[in-house]
Amino acid sequence: MIPFGDIKREVTELESELNDAIEEVLSSGWFVLGRKLEEFEAAFSAYLGGVHAVGVGSGTEAIHLALMASGVENGDYVITVPNTAVPTISAISVAGAQPLLVDIDERSFTMDPSMLREFVSKEKPKLGDKLKAIVPVHLYGQSADMDLILEVAKEFDLTVIEDACQAHGAEYKGKKVGTLGRFAAFSFYPSKNLGCYGDGGMVVAQNPEDAENLKMLRNYGQKRRYYHDIKGVNSRLDEMQAAILLVKLKYLDDWNRRRSEISQLYDRMITNPAVTKPVVMDYGVHVHHLYAIRHPDRDALIEHLAKNGVGSLIHYPVPIHMQAAYKDLGVPQGTYPVAEAAASEILSLPMFPQLTNEEIEIVCTHINSFQG
Ligand SMILES: Cc1ncc(COP(=O)(O)O)c(C=O)c1O
């Protein structure tokens, strides 16, 4: 069996360091909003190059809190893409806003900036101040084409919140993703490039006032205990997860390098002519959270791989506007042809730093032998 992912291998590698970190938290007797979180926020902020980092309960909550801090309210509109993980949309809905979708670029699988410009030019005069924000998604570990997105946002006075939940360490034109918009959201779900062992997330802000506001929003709107200046929620990265993330952050760049190596091995060893391999855009550094190929007979390929003991997953099989839960968006099938075509053909192969070269070779052998 070659699993799609295997976090146990990482836990085994780091076992003694992790046990020490967990033991330290247990013996401190302090579990929420403590020293470990402060340490991790400082370390993550330094890793990104000096933005303000605020630890929260999940990546979904990071997006939600960034929307709240942007002033998004009931009845507002927020633009994102149809091929994202549903949590991007959940966060927008929970903030009371309606998601509006813009199709993706066929090569990068991220928001198409020229379609964004066209869309905003058409919608802004109708929606006015209710159109509040853009959430570009750095999908599979690769940045969206941010210059053009930021340009549209500036021109039409929209807040940019980067969904960097799949892109820890990725870069765009020499800058780390997460430092480009007014806000950014990271997820530490266990399988992410930097993951904890439960749920966790980080919202990142460019300016200190936004960060102060976020710290209140994540903690019931209080700065001083039991004195609530604004309405907030409970969404905090706990001490245990912060301690685990502090151990793991040191390894992130090495792990990302290994992901890049694995991706290059797949690129070289997959020779099946019916397979389209992922494109690495020349504007940035891709951190290969996922390696997603395309094949016209994708479902049969999954079956073939499964029969041969190779795990795979689809990210994501159903675009947002075609999900049962989001029928009320009233967007018919056919509206986003690039995202829809991709959803029917994509397939993510095993991708995690501890995957061995031998396992990669076996995966490629089975892909190459598929005659669909
Ligand atoms: C693109 C994207 N956005 C948002 C999220 C939400 O993160 P979380 O699972 O930590 O809530 C995820 C991860 O699941 C994601 O991949």
Side-chain angles (χ1 to χ4, degrees), residues 78-81 83 102-105 108-121 131-139 142-163 172-173 177 180-183 281 283:
V78 174
I79 299 170
T80 188
V81 286
N83 65 329
V102 167
D103 211 350
I104 51 165
D105 171 76
S108 69
F109 278 37
T110 61
M111 184 179 278
D112 183 326
S114 59
M115 284 198 220
L116 173 70
R117 171 169 290 285
E118 202 179 299
F119 182 81
V120 175
S121 307
L131 183 55
K132 285 268 168 56
I134 308 172
V135 183
V137 180
H138 305 311
L139 200 76
Q142 173 151 263
S143 177
D145 195 352
M146 290 302 292
D147 274 354
L148 300 167
I149 293 170
L150 290 165
E151 197 181 287
V152 172
K154 191 163 180 211
E155 195 176 322
F156 292 92
D157 194 23
L158 302 170
T159 299
V160 172
I161 299 165
E162 297 171 68
D163 182 339
Y172 178 77
K173 298 189 177 171
V177 306
L180 305 155
R182 178 171 159 196
F183 296 103
M281 304 301 281
Y283 54 58

Side-chain angles (χ1 to χ4, degrees), residues 2-5 262 266 291 305 310-313 348-352 355 359-360 363 367:
I2 300 171
F4 176 76
I262 294 170
Y266 277 142
Y291 187 91
L305 291 175
V310 175
S312 62
L313 285 173
S348 306
L349 302 182
M351 168 59 84
F352 52 98
L355 196 63
E359 287 174 314
I360 296 162
V363 174
I367 289 174

Side-chain angles (χ1 to χ4, degrees), residues 57-63 83-89 91 135-140 163-167 185-192 198-202 289-290 315-316:
S58 68
T60 311
E61 271 301 307
I63 302 170
N83 65 329
T84 187
V86 155
T88 315
I89 308 296
V135 183
V137 180
H138 305 311
L139 200 76
Y140 301 160
D163 182 339
C165 288
Q166 297 188 2
F186 289 87
S187 164
F188 301 127
Y189 183 75
S191 61
K192 300 300 189 202
D199 275 311
M202 187 74 85
H289 174 57
L290 294 169
H315 300 91
Y316 297 93

